[in-house]
Amino acid sequence: MPSPLLTIQVSRVDAARAQLRLSGELDFDTAPDLIDAAAELRLDDYQELLIDLTGVVLCDSSGLSALVIIHRAGAGAIHLTGMNPQIQQLLDRTGLGELLAMAPPGATDDAREVG
């Protein structure tokens, strides 16, 4: 059952891409919900996942770990968008920015490709 602290809105963009729009706290209690939602989409053959972090007010190491797990479990890329300064700082300080943050072609400054 999803945590009330995190809302995950799923939109199917096209046959290969889906978007997960997050609102709330991405932490120890809620990270499994994100992993489960992404795994479900991968089972439905969505290769590319767009993860919109605009509504995330808190992200801890468990949230970052969830992004790494999703990255490693999928065959296609994930794109992070709407990263606030706190999330960007976490990626930079932990060194995950180099693993997870590759700007896709034509992306805006707040969009990152993972994979």
XYZ file of all heavy atoms in Angstrom:
846
model
N 0.843 -1.179 0.000
C 0.000 0.000 0.000
C 0.892 1.248 0.000
O 1.790 1.365 0.832
C -0.905 -0.019 1.214
C -1.679 1.257 1.425
S -2.759 1.127 2.846
C -4.288 1.356 2.004
N 0.667 2.182 -0.916
C 1.491 3.385 -0.988
C 1.388 4.228 0.284
O 0.353 4.276 0.928
C 0.936 4.148 -2.188
C 0.190 3.150 -2.984
C -0.286 2.117 -2.010
N 2.475 4.879 0.614
C 2.515 5.737 1.786
C 1.789 7.049 1.496
O 1.881 7.584 0.396
C 3.969 6.031 2.138
O 4.035 7.034 3.107
N 1.084 7.598 2.491
C 0.428 8.891 2.276
C 1.433 10.038 2.195
O 1.067 11.145 1.844
C -0.477 9.035 3.495
C 0.126 8.165 4.535
C 0.806 7.039 3.797
N 2.706 9.761 2.532
C 3.719 10.798 2.487
C 4.254 11.055 1.085
O 4.912 12.046 0.847
C 4.897 10.426 3.397
C 4.569 10.246 4.867
C 5.797 9.772 5.635
C 4.034 11.540 5.463
N 3.977 10.133 0.155
C 4.436 10.272 -1.224
C 3.291 9.921 -2.162
O 2.649 8.893 -2.016
C 5.620 9.345 -1.501
C 6.193 9.415 -2.921
C 6.918 10.751 -3.132
C 7.152 8.270 -3.168
N 3.071 10.786 -3.111
C 2.092 10.527 -4.152
C 2.848 10.298 -5.454
O 3.741 11.078 -5.787
C 1.128 11.729 -4.323
O 0.485 11.973 -3.078
C 0.102 11.454 -5.402
N 2.488 9.234 -6.156
C 3.118 8.919 -7.436
C 2.029 8.882 -8.484
O 1.156 8.026 -8.447
C 3.857 7.572 -7.402
C 4.898 7.548 -6.288
C 4.497 7.284 -8.762
C 5.530 6.196 -6.053
N 2.064 9.838 -9.388
C 1.121 9.902 -10.500
C 1.795 9.300 -11.718
O 2.859 9.755 -12.131
C 0.787 11.359 -10.815
C -0.559 11.792 -10.464
C -0.785 13.237 -10.929
O 0.140 14.022 -11.150
N -2.030 13.587 -11.050
N 1.186 8.290 -12.301
C 1.766 7.626 -13.466
C 0.996 8.021 -14.710
O -0.231 7.947 -14.734
C 1.756 6.091 -13.291
C 2.280 5.405 -14.541
C 2.554 5.677 -12.069
N 1.726 8.443 -15.728
C 1.145 8.772 -17.028
C 1.890 7.997 -18.094
O 3.120 8.005 -18.118
C 1.276 10.266 -17.325
O 0.710 11.038 -16.307
N 1.155 7.355 -18.959
C 1.780 6.663 -20.081
C 1.886 7.647 -21.235
O 0.882 8.058 -21.790
C 0.979 5.436 -20.478
C 1.285 4.252 -19.582
C 0.078 3.817 -18.787
N 0.371 2.608 -18.024
C 0.339 2.584 -16.705
N 0.062 3.668 -16.020
N 0.594 1.464 -16.063
N 3.116 8.046 -21.558
C 3.366 9.061 -22.585
C 3.125 8.470 -23.969
O 2.442 9.054 -24.805
C 4.797 9.626 -22.463
C 5.081 10.632 -23.558
C 5.007 10.239 -21.084
N 3.707 7.305 -24.225
C 3.489 6.567 -25.468
C 3.791 5.097 -25.182
O 3.922 4.712 -24.025
C 4.318 7.140 -26.632
C 5.808 7.188 -26.357
O 6.335 6.262 -25.698
O 6.461 8.139 -26.807
N 3.926 4.281 -26.213
C 4.097 2.841 -26.023
C 5.393 2.473 -25.305
O 5.474 1.414 -24.683
C 4.038 2.129 -27.371
N 6.390 3.343 -25.350
C 7.688 3.018 -24.750
C 8.047 3.885 -23.544
O 8.961 3.562 -22.811
C 8.792 3.147 -25.794
N 7.332 5.002 -23.341
C 7.691 5.947 -22.285
C 6.543 6.171 -21.311
O 5.395 6.296 -21.718
C 8.075 7.303 -22.871
C 9.343 7.288 -23.648
C 9.734 8.669 -24.107
N 8.655 9.262 -24.893
C 8.482 10.572 -25.087
N 9.312 11.419 -24.546
N 7.490 11.022 -25.823
N 6.918 6.248 -20.039
C 5.950 6.567 -18.994
C 6.566 7.608 -18.064
O 7.783 7.680 -17.913
C 5.574 5.318 -18.212
N 5.693 8.414 -17.452
C 6.156 9.441 -16.527
C 5.640 9.136 -15.127
O 4.476 8.766 -14.949
C 5.657 10.820 -16.946
C 6.115 11.923 -16.008
C 5.602 13.279 -16.413
O 4.418 13.436 -16.709
N 6.483 14.263 -16.429
N 6.514 9.297 -14.154
C 6.143 9.192 -12.752
C 6.334 10.571 -12.147
O 7.459 11.081 -12.098
C 7.031 8.185 -12.016
C 6.925 6.751 -12.495
C 8.103 6.418 -13.387
C 6.877 5.809 -11.329
N 5.237 11.199 -11.723
C 5.301 12.533 -11.124
C 5.169 12.353 -9.610
O 4.150 11.878 -9.134
C 4.181 13.418 -11.661
C 4.198 14.815 -11.084
C 3.213 15.722 -11.779
N 3.724 16.014 -13.112
C 2.975 15.980 -14.218
N 1.708 15.655 -14.156
N 3.501 16.282 -15.378
N 6.227 12.730 -8.885
C 6.275 12.521 -7.448
C 5.931 13.794 -6.690
O 6.351 14.886 -7.080
C 7.671 12.066 -7.022
C 8.306 10.912 -7.800
C 9.668 10.572 -7.220
C 7.408 9.702 -7.809
N 5.191 13.615 -5.589
C 4.882 14.725 -4.691
C 5.019 14.227 -3.262
O 4.493 13.171 -2.921
C 3.440 15.211 -4.889
O 3.254 15.726 -6.172
N 5.738 14.980 -2.457
C 5.890 14.623 -1.055
C 7.310 14.269 -0.705
O 8.256 14.856 -1.219
N 7.443 13.290 0.188
C 8.742 12.917 0.722
C 9.221 11.595 0.141
O 8.522 10.595 0.207
C 8.655 12.798 2.248
C 8.241 14.093 2.911
C 8.067 13.976 4.408
O 8.318 12.893 4.978
O 7.687 14.989 5.026
N 10.417 11.606 -0.417
C 11.045 10.404 -0.958
C 12.121 9.990 0.041
O 13.229 10.519 0.048
C 11.639 10.688 -2.339
C 12.292 9.514 -3.068
C 11.330 8.344 -3.214
C 12.792 9.962 -4.427
N 11.746 9.064 0.929
C 12.642 8.687 2.010
C 12.536 7.190 2.301
O 11.989 6.434 1.502
C 12.346 9.520 3.269
C 10.919 9.351 3.774
O 10.199 8.429 3.325
O 10.517 10.145 4.647
N 13.050 6.773 3.454
C 13.083 5.364 3.831
C 11.706 4.706 3.753
O 11.582 3.574 3.296
C 13.650 5.232 5.258
C 13.691 3.818 5.748
C 14.717 2.972 5.366
C 12.706 3.340 6.592
C 14.756 1.658 5.804
C 12.743 2.030 7.049
C 13.765 1.187 6.654
N 10.682 5.424 4.189
C 9.332 4.860 4.208
C 8.683 4.802 2.837
O 7.812 3.963 2.602
C 8.432 5.664 5.155
C 8.863 5.542 6.602
O 9.273 4.433 7.016
O 8.794 6.553 7.326
N 9.071 5.694 1.937
C 8.359 5.804 0.661
C 9.152 5.319 -0.545
O 8.564 5.071 -1.598
C 7.940 7.263 0.419
O 9.107 8.086 0.351
C 7.008 7.765 1.518
N 10.467 5.178 -0.411
C 11.299 4.743 -1.541
C 10.822 3.412 -2.138
O 10.809 3.272 -3.368
C 12.760 4.667 -1.124
N 10.401 2.438 -1.320
C 9.909 1.179 -1.909
C 8.701 1.373 -2.831
O 8.533 0.641 -3.807
C 9.540 0.329 -0.687
C 10.413 0.847 0.405
C 10.507 2.335 0.147
N 7.880 2.387 -2.545
C 6.726 2.664 -3.408
C 7.180 3.084 -4.806
O 6.598 2.673 -5.806
C 5.851 3.765 -2.807
C 5.256 3.382 -1.459
O 5.118 2.168 -1.188
O 4.937 4.296 -0.680
N 8.218 3.919 -4.867
C 8.753 4.351 -6.152
C 9.376 3.173 -6.894
O 9.152 3.009 -8.100
C 9.784 5.470 -5.967
C 10.485 5.940 -7.234
C 9.488 6.446 -8.270
C 11.517 7.014 -6.893
N 10.131 2.351 -6.189
C 10.746 1.174 -6.816
C 9.670 0.256 -7.387
O 9.784 -0.220 -8.520
C 11.636 0.424 -5.802
C 12.838 1.292 -5.417
C 12.096 -0.916 -6.364
C 13.600 0.792 -4.212
N 8.611 0.026 -6.619
C 7.517 -0.834 -7.076
C 6.810 -0.256 -8.299
O 6.499 -0.983 -9.245
C 6.497 -1.062 -5.955
C 7.039 -1.905 -4.813
O 8.093 -2.557 -4.985
O 6.402 -1.891 -3.731
N 6.556 1.056 -8.280
C 5.876 1.695 -9.418
C 6.725 1.588 -10.681
O 6.208 1.292 -11.768
C 5.576 3.164 -9.096
N 8.025 1.807 -10.555
C 8.918 1.706 -11.717
C 9.005 0.267 -12.211
O 8.983 0.014 -13.424
C 10.307 2.229 -11.363
N 9.074 -0.688 -11.297
C 9.154 -2.098 -11.682
C 7.893 -2.531 -12.423
O 7.969 -3.280 -13.407
C 9.366 -2.969 -10.448
N 6.748 -2.047 -11.972
C 5.487 -2.356 -12.651
C 5.489 -1.845 -14.087
O 5.046 -2.535 -15.007
C 4.335 -1.704 -11.879
C 3.179 -2.624 -11.608
C 2.134 -1.924 -10.761
O 2.251 -1.986 -9.526
O 1.212 -1.327 -11.360
N 5.983 -0.636 -14.273
C 6.058 -0.064 -15.619
C 7.039 -0.840 -16.493
O 6.773 -1.065 -17.672
C 6.444 1.415 -15.554
C 5.359 2.331 -14.987
C 5.934 3.697 -14.658
C 4.188 2.435 -15.944
N 8.142 -1.248 -15.925
C 9.117 -2.045 -16.692
C 8.498 -3.381 -17.108
O 8.730 -3.856 -18.216
C 10.388 -2.297 -15.875
C 11.177 -1.051 -15.538
C 11.913 -0.491 -16.714
N 12.919 0.463 -16.236
C 13.506 1.336 -17.002
N 13.230 1.401 -18.280
N 14.402 2.163 -16.509
N 7.700 -3.987 -16.223
C 7.018 -5.241 -16.565
C 6.023 -5.050 -17.709
O 5.755 -5.971 -18.467
C 6.301 -5.820 -15.343
C 7.191 -6.472 -14.298
C 6.375 -6.866 -13.070
C 7.927 -7.678 -14.867
N 5.475 -3.836 -17.797
C 4.545 -3.499 -18.885
C 5.279 -3.035 -20.135
O 4.682 -2.441 -21.028
C 3.562 -2.415 -18.430
C 2.559 -2.926 -17.425
O 2.359 -4.155 -17.346
O 1.961 -2.095 -16.711
N 6.595 -3.265 -20.188
C 7.455 -2.966 -21.338
C 7.706 -1.488 -21.601
O 8.016 -1.100 -22.725
C 6.917 -3.631 -22.613
C 7.067 -5.140 -22.569
O 8.042 -5.610 -21.950
O 6.211 -5.836 -23.139
N 7.581 -0.659 -20.573
C 7.974 0.737 -20.724
C 9.479 0.803 -20.553
O 10.001 0.493 -19.490
C 7.254 1.639 -19.717
C 5.811 1.829 -20.080
C 4.818 1.033 -19.521
C 5.452 2.789 -21.016
C 3.500 1.193 -19.880
C 4.123 2.951 -21.384
C 3.154 2.153 -20.807
O 1.853 2.302 -21.175
N 10.195 1.172 -21.614
C 11.651 1.201 -21.611
C 12.204 2.483 -21.000
O 13.234 2.463 -20.342
C 12.192 1.039 -23.037
C 11.808 -0.272 -23.683
C 12.331 -1.462 -22.898
O 13.500 -1.507 -22.545
N 11.470 -2.413 -22.605
N 11.539 3.575 -21.237
C 12.033 4.880 -20.791
C 11.099 5.434 -19.725
O 9.894 5.506 -19.929
C 12.085 5.835 -21.987
C 12.717 7.151 -21.698
C 12.814 8.016 -22.954
O 12.540 7.522 -24.058
O 13.161 9.191 -22.807
N 11.668 5.806 -18.577
C 10.881 6.356 -17.484
C 11.288 7.802 -17.234
O 12.471 8.107 -17.106
C 11.084 5.540 -16.208
C 10.726 4.062 -16.279
C 10.991 3.392 -14.941
C 9.288 3.858 -16.709
N 10.318 8.665 -17.192
C 10.533 10.073 -16.888
C 10.098 10.273 -15.439
O 8.928 10.054 -15.118
C 9.702 10.961 -17.810
C 9.797 10.649 -19.299
C 8.735 11.390 -20.087
C 11.181 10.973 -19.812
N 11.022 10.649 -14.585
C 10.709 10.822 -13.164
C 10.767 12.307 -12.841
O 11.832 12.918 -12.854
C 11.670 10.015 -12.268
C 11.574 8.523 -12.630
C 11.330 10.245 -10.801
C 12.523 7.634 -11.870
N 9.589 12.877 -12.581
C 9.452 14.301 -12.300
C 9.512 14.505 -10.783
O 8.620 14.075 -10.051
C 8.133 14.809 -12.862
C 7.922 16.293 -12.653
O 8.743 16.939 -11.967
O 6.914 16.806 -13.165
N 10.569 15.164 -10.322
C 10.800 15.372 -8.897
C 10.372 16.766 -8.421
O 10.687 17.155 -7.298
C 12.290 15.162 -8.589
C 12.855 13.792 -8.967
C 14.372 13.787 -8.848
C 12.244 12.704 -8.116
N 9.637 17.490 -9.256
C 9.254 18.863 -8.932
C 8.543 18.958 -7.588
O 8.784 19.876 -6.815
C 8.364 19.454 -10.038
O 9.060 19.377 -11.278
C 7.995 20.888 -9.750
N 7.669 18.011 -7.277
C 6.883 18.059 -6.043
C 7.542 17.407 -4.845
O 6.940 17.325 -3.775
N 8.786 16.961 -4.985
C 9.471 16.302 -3.872
C 10.009 17.377 -2.928
O 10.792 18.224 -3.318
C 10.609 15.386 -4.377
C 11.425 14.845 -3.212
C 10.034 14.250 -5.206
N 9.561 17.307 -1.672
C 9.988 18.297 -0.685
C 11.137 17.789 0.172
O 11.815 18.575 0.829
C 8.815 18.745 0.217
C 7.766 19.480 -0.599
C 8.203 17.563 0.950
N 11.353 16.478 0.183
C 12.440 15.892 0.946
C 12.910 14.637 0.234
O 12.094 13.844 -0.240
C 11.963 15.519 2.354
C 12.996 14.823 3.232
C 12.982 15.436 4.609
C 12.731 13.336 3.304
N 14.221 14.482 0.131
C 14.803 13.268 -0.434
C 16.014 12.913 0.416
O 16.899 13.743 0.609
C 15.215 13.486 -1.887
S 15.934 12.016 -2.662
N 16.024 11.686 0.950
C 17.161 11.258 1.748
C 17.938 10.173 1.011
O 17.697 9.923 -0.178
C 16.717 10.806 3.142
C 15.906 9.516 3.141
O 15.737 8.886 2.073
O 15.441 9.125 4.233
N 18.864 9.527 1.705
C 19.703 8.516 1.061
C 18.881 7.339 0.542
O 19.247 6.731 -0.468
C 20.780 8.027 2.017
O 20.205 7.433 3.161
N 17.777 7.029 1.176
C 16.915 5.946 0.684
C 16.254 6.327 -0.632
O 16.073 5.483 -1.508
C 15.839 5.604 1.717
O 16.416 5.114 2.893
N 15.911 7.596 -0.775
C 15.367 8.079 -2.041
C 16.386 7.991 -3.151
O 16.080 7.564 -4.270
N 17.620 8.380 -2.845
C 18.696 8.263 -3.833
C 18.949 6.797 -4.181
O 19.149 6.456 -5.345
C 19.982 8.894 -3.310
C 19.979 10.403 -3.127
C 21.324 10.866 -2.581
C 19.637 11.119 -4.418
N 18.910 5.947 -3.180
C 19.101 4.516 -3.405
C 18.014 3.966 -4.333
O 18.292 3.131 -5.206
C 19.081 3.775 -2.073
O 19.245 2.396 -2.270
N 16.795 4.435 -4.157
C 15.697 3.998 -5.026
C 15.990 4.344 -6.481
O 15.749 3.535 -7.388
C 14.379 4.629 -4.584
N 16.540 5.529 -6.723
C 16.878 5.930 -8.089
C 17.969 5.029 -8.669
O 17.916 4.660 -9.843
C 17.313 7.395 -8.126
C 16.234 8.410 -7.729
C 16.828 9.809 -7.637
C 15.064 8.371 -8.701
N 18.943 4.664 -7.835
C 20.004 3.760 -8.291
C 19.429 2.384 -8.607
O 19.759 1.772 -9.628
C 21.128 3.654 -7.235
C 22.128 2.569 -7.610
C 21.835 4.991 -7.078
N 18.543 1.884 -7.753
C 17.918 0.577 -7.979
C 17.125 0.579 -9.279
O 17.215 -0.355 -10.077
C 17.025 0.191 -6.777
C 17.908 -0.124 -5.564
C 16.108 -0.983 -7.116
C 17.154 -0.225 -4.252
N 16.369 1.637 -9.515
C 15.586 1.742 -10.756
C 16.523 1.789 -11.959
O 16.281 1.155 -12.977
C 14.670 2.983 -10.708
C 13.601 2.798 -9.625
C 14.028 3.240 -12.065
C 12.860 4.076 -9.268
N 17.602 2.539 -11.831
C 18.600 2.642 -12.899
C 19.179 1.267 -13.236
O 19.265 0.883 -14.398
C 19.697 3.607 -12.463
C 20.954 3.520 -13.254
N 21.035 3.859 -14.590
C 22.202 3.141 -12.893
C 22.268 3.682 -15.011
N 22.995 3.244 -14.004
N 19.569 0.518 -12.223
C 20.207 -0.781 -12.428
C 19.240 -1.856 -12.907
O 19.649 -2.790 -13.590
C 20.875 -1.243 -11.141
C 22.097 -0.432 -10.816
C 22.806 -0.970 -9.620
N 24.032 -0.209 -9.376
C 24.682 -0.225 -8.250
N 24.259 -0.955 -7.247
N 25.783 0.492 -8.123
N 17.972 -1.724 -12.556
C 16.997 -2.768 -12.869
C 16.423 -2.654 -14.274
O 15.836 -3.608 -14.771
C 15.851 -2.733 -11.862
N 16.574 -1.513 -14.919
C 15.919 -1.294 -16.194
C 16.808 -1.459 -17.393
O 18.022 -1.338 -17.313
N 16.164 -1.754 -18.503
C 16.877 -1.880 -19.762
C 16.994 -0.532 -20.460
O 17.883 -0.322 -21.269
C 16.158 -2.874 -20.674
N 16.087 0.382 -20.146
C 16.089 1.695 -20.787
C 16.481 2.785 -19.816
O 16.693 2.553 -18.625
N 16.586 3.989 -20.331
C 17.011 5.137 -19.539
C 15.897 5.634 -18.642
O 14.718 5.412 -18.905
C 17.452 6.262 -20.465
N 16.308 6.316 -17.572
C 15.358 7.108 -16.810
C 15.822 8.557 -16.896
O 17.016 8.832 -16.997
C 15.192 6.640 -15.349
C 16.451 6.860 -14.531
C 14.747 5.201 -15.267
C 16.251 6.610 -13.050
N 14.876 9.447 -16.934
C 15.175 10.875 -17.006
C 14.622 11.532 -15.754
O 13.444 11.383 -15.454
C 14.517 11.520 -18.237
C 14.957 10.930 -19.526
N 16.113 11.337 -20.167
C 14.422 9.963 -20.293
C 16.252 10.632 -21.290
N 15.238 9.795 -21.374
N 15.477 12.246 -15.030
C 15.050 12.988 -13.857
C 14.788 14.427 -14.268
O 15.630 15.048 -14.908
C 16.139 12.961 -12.781
C 16.596 11.599 -12.282
C 17.684 11.767 -11.224
C 15.441 10.782 -11.755
N 13.642 14.945 -13.888
C 13.322 16.343 -14.165
C 12.855 17.004 -12.877
O 12.465 16.332 -11.928
C 12.222 16.482 -15.241
O 11.021 15.881 -14.768
C 12.639 15.853 -16.559
N 12.897 18.309 -12.863
C 12.393 19.071 -11.734
C 13.202 18.898 -10.465
O 12.665 18.993 -9.372
N 14.500 18.670 -10.617
C 15.337 18.483 -9.426
C 15.548 19.819 -8.732
O 16.016 20.775 -9.347
C 16.680 17.873 -9.806
C 16.546 16.467 -10.302
S 18.082 15.567 -10.459
C 19.191 16.722 -11.173
N 15.206 19.857 -7.447
C 15.432 21.075 -6.683
C 16.892 21.106 -6.213
O 17.612 20.115 -6.347
C 14.439 21.185 -5.515
C 14.616 20.083 -4.484
O 15.730 19.692 -4.152
N 13.508 19.593 -3.954
N 17.348 22.224 -5.678
C 18.757 22.331 -5.263
C 19.170 21.278 -4.224
O 20.294 20.808 -4.242
C 18.856 23.742 -4.680
C 17.777 24.506 -5.362
C 16.662 23.522 -5.577
N 18.250 20.893 -3.326
C 18.577 19.898 -2.306
C 18.892 18.553 -2.941
O 19.860 17.892 -2.584
C 17.408 19.763 -1.314
C 17.687 18.824 -0.159
C 16.937 17.491 -0.236
O 16.071 17.273 -1.081
N 17.280 16.596 0.650
N 18.089 18.133 -3.916
C 18.322 16.850 -4.584
C 19.603 16.913 -5.407
O 20.416 15.992 -5.387
C 17.116 16.444 -5.444
C 15.896 16.197 -4.548
C 17.434 15.212 -6.279
C 14.596 15.981 -5.299
N 19.807 18.007 -6.104
C 21.035 18.164 -6.887
C 22.262 18.119 -5.978
O 23.260 17.481 -6.297
C 21.009 19.477 -7.675
C 22.209 19.650 -8.580
C 22.299 18.572 -9.645
O 21.379 18.404 -10.421
N 23.387 17.827 -9.667
N 22.168 18.762 -4.828
C 23.287 18.764 -3.876
C 23.548 17.349 -3.352
O 24.704 16.940 -3.214
C 22.984 19.716 -2.724
C 24.133 19.880 -1.764
C 23.809 20.871 -0.666
O 22.684 20.935 -0.175
N 24.810 21.651 -0.283
N 22.497 16.587 -3.069
C 22.668 15.207 -2.629
C 23.372 14.374 -3.691
O 24.277 13.597 -3.387
C 21.311 14.568 -2.313
C 20.687 14.875 -0.969
C 19.281 14.281 -0.891
C 21.541 14.351 0.163
N 22.959 14.537 -4.939
C 23.607 13.808 -6.028
C 25.085 14.175 -6.138
O 25.936 13.302 -6.309
C 22.897 14.091 -7.354
C 21.509 13.490 -7.525
C 20.839 14.050 -8.779
C 21.575 11.984 -7.581
N 25.377 15.459 -6.016
C 26.756 15.927 -6.133
C 27.621 15.464 -4.961
O 28.733 14.972 -5.158
C 26.801 17.451 -6.236
C 26.190 17.973 -7.528
O 26.019 17.175 -8.483
O 25.848 19.174 -7.574
N 27.106 15.602 -3.750
C 27.894 15.263 -2.553
C 28.152 13.773 -2.407
O 29.154 13.376 -1.832
C 27.206 15.778 -1.300
C 27.356 17.255 -1.136
C 26.920 17.685 0.219
N 27.190 19.110 0.381
C 26.989 19.758 1.483
N 26.524 19.141 2.547
N 27.254 21.039 1.548
N 27.231 12.956 -2.876
C 27.402 11.514 -2.742
C 28.160 10.911 -3.914
O 28.488 9.725 -3.892
C 26.032 10.810 -2.640
O 25.271 11.103 -3.822
C 25.279 11.236 -1.403
N 28.417 11.697 -4.936
C 29.075 11.175 -6.126
C 28.116 10.503 -7.086
O 28.517 10.065 -8.163
N 26.843 10.422 -6.698
C 25.860 9.796 -7.584
C 25.533 10.676 -8.781
O 25.015 10.193 -9.775
C 24.573 9.463 -6.815
C 24.705 8.348 -5.802
C 23.407 8.176 -5.020
C 25.089 7.045 -6.485
N 25.866 11.943 -8.684
C 25.648 12.841 -9.813
C 26.365 12.357 -11.055
O 25.862 12.478 -12.160
N 27.541 11.772 -10.852
C 28.300 11.267 -11.998
C 27.707 9.986 -12.551
O 27.772 9.732 -13.745
C 29.753 11.076 -11.598
C 30.412 12.392 -11.263
C 31.907 12.275 -11.116
O 32.497 11.330 -11.654
O 32.483 13.161 -10.454
N 27.125 9.169 -11.683
C 26.490 7.931 -12.140
C 25.122 8.208 -12.747
O 24.784 7.684 -13.798
C 26.328 6.949 -10.975
C 25.498 5.694 -11.266
C 26.226 4.786 -12.245
C 25.183 4.960 -9.973
N 24.348 9.046 -12.092
C 22.945 9.233 -12.464
C 22.670 10.458 -13.324
O 21.613 10.553 -13.901
C 22.092 9.353 -11.190
C 22.074 8.162 -10.271
C 21.234 8.466 -9.040
C 21.552 6.928 -10.964
N 23.556 11.407 -13.374
C 23.206 12.679 -13.990
C 23.951 12.922 -15.291
O 25.016 13.508 -15.302
C 23.467 13.813 -13.003
N 23.379 12.466 -16.375
C 23.897 12.774 -17.706
C 22.797 13.521 -18.439
O 21.713 12.987 -18.632
C 24.244 11.496 -18.464
C 25.410 10.731 -17.869
S 25.733 9.135 -18.654
C 25.073 9.296 -20.275
N 23.054 14.736 -18.793
C 22.024 15.530 -19.449
C 21.695 14.940 -20.816
O 22.593 14.715 -21.625
C 22.478 16.975 -19.601
N 20.414 14.675 -21.093
C 20.040 14.162 -22.403
C 20.130 15.259 -23.453
O 20.072 16.437 -23.121
C 18.603 13.704 -22.219
C 18.090 14.497 -21.086
C 19.267 14.791 -20.205
N 20.257 14.891 -24.706
C 20.317 15.887 -25.773
C 19.088 16.786 -25.753
O 17.971 16.300 -25.646
C 20.348 15.055 -27.050
C 20.781 13.689 -26.621
C 20.345 13.532 -25.200
N 19.308 18.089 -25.801
C 18.214 19.045 -25.862
C 17.471 19.220 -24.557
O 16.406 19.802 -24.529
N 18.045 18.753 -23.455
C 17.365 18.853 -22.171
C 17.526 20.245 -21.579
O 18.468 20.943 -21.874
C 17.910 17.822 -21.191
N 16.584 20.597 -20.704
C 16.721 21.848 -19.969
C 17.681 21.601 -18.823
O 18.066 20.490 -18.541
C 15.355 22.306 -19.430
O 14.881 21.297 -18.536
C 14.366 22.532 -20.552
N 18.041 22.663 -18.117
C 19.001 22.550 -17.033
C 18.534 21.644 -15.906
O 19.335 21.076 -15.197
C 19.332 23.933 -16.464
C 20.182 24.738 -17.421
O 20.822 24.131 -18.301
O 20.190 25.971 -17.283
N 17.202 21.509 -15.724
C 16.721 20.696 -14.608
C 16.396 19.273 -15.028
O 15.872 18.506 -14.253
C 15.510 21.342 -13.941
C 14.297 21.385 -14.857
O 14.440 21.200 -16.074
O 13.205 21.617 -14.338
N 16.702 18.883 -16.257
C 16.447 17.517 -16.704
C 17.754 16.736 -16.718
O 18.773 17.228 -17.153
C 15.836 17.521 -18.102
N 17.689 15.516 -16.223
C 18.857 14.654 -16.205
C 18.472 13.284 -16.715
O 17.390 12.787 -16.444
C 19.388 14.496 -14.775
C 19.767 15.789 -14.099
C 21.016 16.316 -14.715
N 21.418 17.526 -14.021
C 22.627 17.985 -14.060
N 23.556 17.378 -14.727
N 22.929 19.091 -13.422
N 19.381 12.661 -17.417
C 19.155 11.294 -17.870
C 19.928 10.348 -16.976
O 21.074 10.609 -16.652
C 19.630 11.113 -19.308
C 19.457 9.691 -19.808
C 19.895 9.507 -21.227
O 20.083 10.487 -21.931
O 20.050 8.350 -21.621
N 19.282 9.294 -16.572
C 19.930 8.275 -15.763
C 19.968 7.030 -16.599
O 18.954 6.472 -16.976
C 19.149 8.043 -14.452
C 19.819 6.982 -13.640
C 19.029 9.328 -13.676
N 21.130 6.565 -16.893
C 21.245 5.347 -17.698
C 22.073 5.631 -18.830
O 22.426 5.634 -19.798
